[in-house]
Amino acid sequence: MRLTILGATGGIGRLLLPLALDQGHEVTAFARAPEKITAKIAAKTAAPNSRLRILGGDLLNPTEMAAAIQNSDAVLSAFGPTTLASTHQRRNFGHTLVEALRTARVNRFLHVSTAFLFRDGGLLVNLMANTLFHNVTADSRDCETEMTQPDLAWTIVRPPRLLNGPPTHRTRIVAGHLPQGGFTISRADVAAFLLQEAVTPRYIRQVVGISN
Ligand SMILES: NC(=O)c1ccc[n+]([C@@H]2O[C@H](COP(=O)([O-])OP(=O)(O)OC[C@H]3O[C@@H](n4cnc5c(N)ncnc54)[C@H](OP(=O)(O)O)[C@@H]3O)[C@@H](O)[C@H]2O)c1
């Protein structure tokens, strides 16, 4: 498949990129700091670099985004600012991506959101969503509102706390809910799920909870 990865320089994206190449896909990484996608990442894959295209640009600019995702079969997003302060970056990113998808006539995308948006995520998730992560939660909600358009084939993935380390291959996925007692998931398992869902769509126009 021809895949575009957004957030390829981040924790999930850095794992997703070599995984996609190793599975034989053609990958475009569109990043504001493309120099971060170095030989270090490419060295993690045996796949020929001719299937990797790295583009630098502004992920909040719809024209640049449309040019980057042109001809993609699917866009995989692990975009996300790290700030806990009040921001509209996620919402603006969602708005930009939707505009670009329509311009480029690309229909399918997946985006990593947050389990804070589950109302039935449990006491701890609710507490964090309403206190320390209040701004993240509000902006993520706005982002999902922008993204969940009826004319596009979206899948929103809401993980709880992300962990580093190897894939566990014990991923639980529940449409519309956080899996029971799911407090963490490894970034590697999220990356694997994104790729699997891009190749074999099972959750089109659905929000999915994912955890170990
Ligand atoms: N951390 C958690 O426990 C947790 C839990 C649930 C959900 N999430 C969500 O999952 C997302 C992905 O996780 P992660 O660990 O892979 O995140 P991460 O390591 O922080 O990576 C975020 C990616 O977004 C990019 N980005 C951020 N702001 C940008 C901007 N203004 N313009 C262009 N690119 C921008 C970063 O690019 P640069 O490298 O250029 O900064 C990076 O590639 C998070 O951002 C969050 O929304 C996180």
Side-chain angles (χ1 to χ4, degrees):
M1 291 178 77
R2 289 164 301 187
L3 305 175
T4 299
I5 299 178
L6 308 173
T9 56
I12 292 173
R14 272 200 302 267
L15 301 169
L16 182 57
L17 191 147
L19 202 59
L21 287 171
D22 284 345
Q23 290 187 16
H25 301 292
E26 285 179 36
V27 178
T28 295
F30 179 45
R32 64 177 168 183
E35 68 281 0
K36 286 189 185 172
I37 307 167
T38 54
K40 210 170 163 190
I41 293 175
K44 287 187 182 161
T45 168
N49 282 351
S50 59
R51 283 195 280 102
L52 172 61
R53 188 172 69 127
I54 301 170
L55 297 177
D58 183 357
L59 274 72
L60 301 176
N61 178 313
T63 308
E64 290 187 32
M65 178 73 88
I69 68 173
Q70 194 90 43
N71 298 320
S72 295
D73 298 311
V75 175
L76 283 63
S77 161
F79 168 99
T82 47
T83 181
L84 296 180
S86 177
T87 177
H88 297 302
Q89 287 184 74
R90 294 173 187 81
R91 181 194 71 187
N92 295 346
F93 168 75
H95 189 83
T96 303
L97 180 58
V98 163
E99 193 178 329
L101 287 159
R102 287 176 176 149
T103 302
R105 297 183 183 281
V106 176
N107 198 244
R108 178 76 174 126
F109 74 97
L110 301 91
H111 174 69
V112 179
S113 180
T114 170
F116 290 140
L117 291 173
F118 285 122
R119 291 213 181 115
D120 59 355
L123 219 62
L124 193 62
V125 169
N126 283 348
L127 182 71
M128 290 196 292
N130 289 312
T131 54
L132 185 61
F133 295 96
H134 171 75
N135 292 321
V136 171
T137 306
D139 195 28
S140 298
R141 183 179 292 111
D142 290 347
C143 178
E144 287 197 11
T145 302
E146 292 288 346
M147 286 181 162
T148 50
Q149 300 292 329
D151 60 318
L152 297 172
W154 47 267
T155 300
I156 303 287
V157 182
R158 292 181 181 171
R161 185 167 163 238
L162 298 172
L163 302 179
N164 291 323
T168 69
H169 303 296
R170 291 191 310 272
T171 304
R172 295 185 292 152
I173 300 145
V174 179
H177 303 276
L178 186 62
Q180 191 80 35
F183 295 117
T184 61
I185 184 161
S186 80
R187 287 180 170 84
D189 286 333
V190 177
F193 173 71
L194 288 171
L195 201 51
Q196 176 195 310
E197 177 61 21
V199 172
T200 311
R202 291 182 56 207
Y203 298 100
I204 287 184
R205 277 179 222 101
Q206 293 191 62
V207 171
V208 298
I210 181 172
S211 76
N212 288 136

